[in-house]
Amino acid sequence: MAVTSASVTEPDRPARVSGIDKIERRRVALAESALKTLGELGYARTSLREIANNSEFTHGVVHYYFRDKIDLISYCVRYYKTKCARRYDEVVETATSGEELVTGFLAKMTQTLVDETPMHKLWYDLRAQSMFEEQLRLDVEAIDKLLEEMIWRILGRYADLTATTPTVDAPTAYALVDGLFEQAVVGYAANPDKTPDLLTDRLLQVLPKLVAA
């Protein structure tokens, strides 16, 4: 039988949307609960049961909302990195000079290095695992693209404020900045006192070379 407009009542639509919202809210709550365990143990050592044991949720609840470990970890990292990509928006929007933009950008980057090292370690762990786990690749590619666009927005705004033009394309800019940040994440465990300043110094060397008059 063909579905007509009368077959779907108006009350049905909000009900379905509400159901989707409720599921998504629960998935977000599970992700927030799981991130601490994931950050501490890493990809290989974490299971759904381990996550459940370290949260307020039962193993059955976790498994109900996520089909397996990869599904949960991919969701967690997407959720976290989406927030990361947005944390620089205010700096980009409010900076009135190139110096102010760079200062704000570096302050936020070193802060997240110090405050959220386990989450960044998890991301780089997941990205490395995607070379072996095909199921992870699409999510990793999507996150990488999101972060690349973030760096490109910052560089584009810097170029506007300094009346210059980027000398590299978006993937290259992202690779350079992300490479320095990944080194800092690795180095922070061994030398937490000096690594944030070292990251700042290296970025200050690189950023001006990414644009030219």
Side-chain angles (χ1 to χ4, degrees):
M1 179 180 70
V3 178
T4 66
S5 58
S7 302
V8 181
T9 64
E10 285 302 317
D12 287 337
R13 293 191 179 100
R16 281 200 296 273
V17 172
S18 176
I20 293 171
D21 289 347
K22 183 177 180 181
I23 291 172
E24 189 61 19
R25 285 197 301 271
R26 178 53 64 92
R27 282 165 68 87
V28 166
L30 285 164
E32 290 178 337
S33 177
L35 278 169
K36 185 175 185 295
T37 302
L38 289 166
E40 290 174 351
L41 298 181
Y43 172 84
R45 295 164 56 199
T46 303
S47 65
L48 290 184
R49 189 171 298 281
E50 188 75 37
I51 289 168
N53 289 343
N54 288 282
S55 76
E56 62 189 275
F57 303 101
T58 66
H59 178 256
V61 169
V62 175
H63 196 67
Y64 177 81
Y65 286 96
F66 297 97
R67 62 181 178 272
D68 54 29
K69 181 176 83 168
I70 291 178
D71 186 28
L72 172 58
I73 293 177
S74 296
Y75 184 91
C76 286
V77 175
R78 281 200 313 274
Y79 170 75
Y80 172 70
K81 282 298 183 179
T82 298
K83 293 200 300 183
C84 283
R86 292 172 180 162
R87 67 161 42 106
Y88 300 97
D89 288 351
E90 183 180 357
V91 174
V92 172
E93 292 166 3
T94 61
T96 58
S97 68
E99 182 179 358
E100 185 180 348
L101 176 65
V102 170
T103 300
F105 168 60
L106 294 178
K108 284 191 175 291
M109 181 165 274
T110 53
Q111 180 184 4
T112 187
L113 170 67
V114 172
D115 294 345
E116 301 168 359
T117 303
M119 298 300 99
H120 298 301
K121 288 167 61 179
L122 175 63
W123 157 239
Y124 290 121
D125 186 14
L126 190 70
R127 191 163 72 178
Q129 288 294 332
S130 72
M131 292 188 287
F132 307 98
E133 296 272 8
E134 185 175 357
Q135 190 177 339
L136 292 170
R137 288 174 195 163
L138 286 178
D139 285 322
V140 166
E141 288 173 5
I143 295 167
D144 262 329
K145 187 64 177 175
L146 183 72
L147 298 175
E148 177 188 305
E149 291 169 352
M150 173 195 77
I151 296 299
W152 191 244
R153 286 196 303 275
I154 294 166
L155 185 60
R157 180 58 177 157
Y158 179 75
D160 289 343
L161 291 169
T162 56
T164 56
T165 303
T167 57
V168 297
D169 60 11
T172 303
Y174 172 53
L176 289 169
V177 175
D178 182 67
L180 291 175
F181 188 73
E182 183 176 6
Q183 282 187 338
V185 170
V186 173
Y188 186 77
N191 198 345
D193 294 331
K194 294 184 178 179
T195 299
D197 289 339
L198 184 60
L199 173 62
T200 296
D201 291 344
R202 287 173 172 170
L203 286 170
L204 285 173
Q205 292 179 52
V206 168
L207 290 174
K209 297 176 182 178
L210 302 183
V211 295

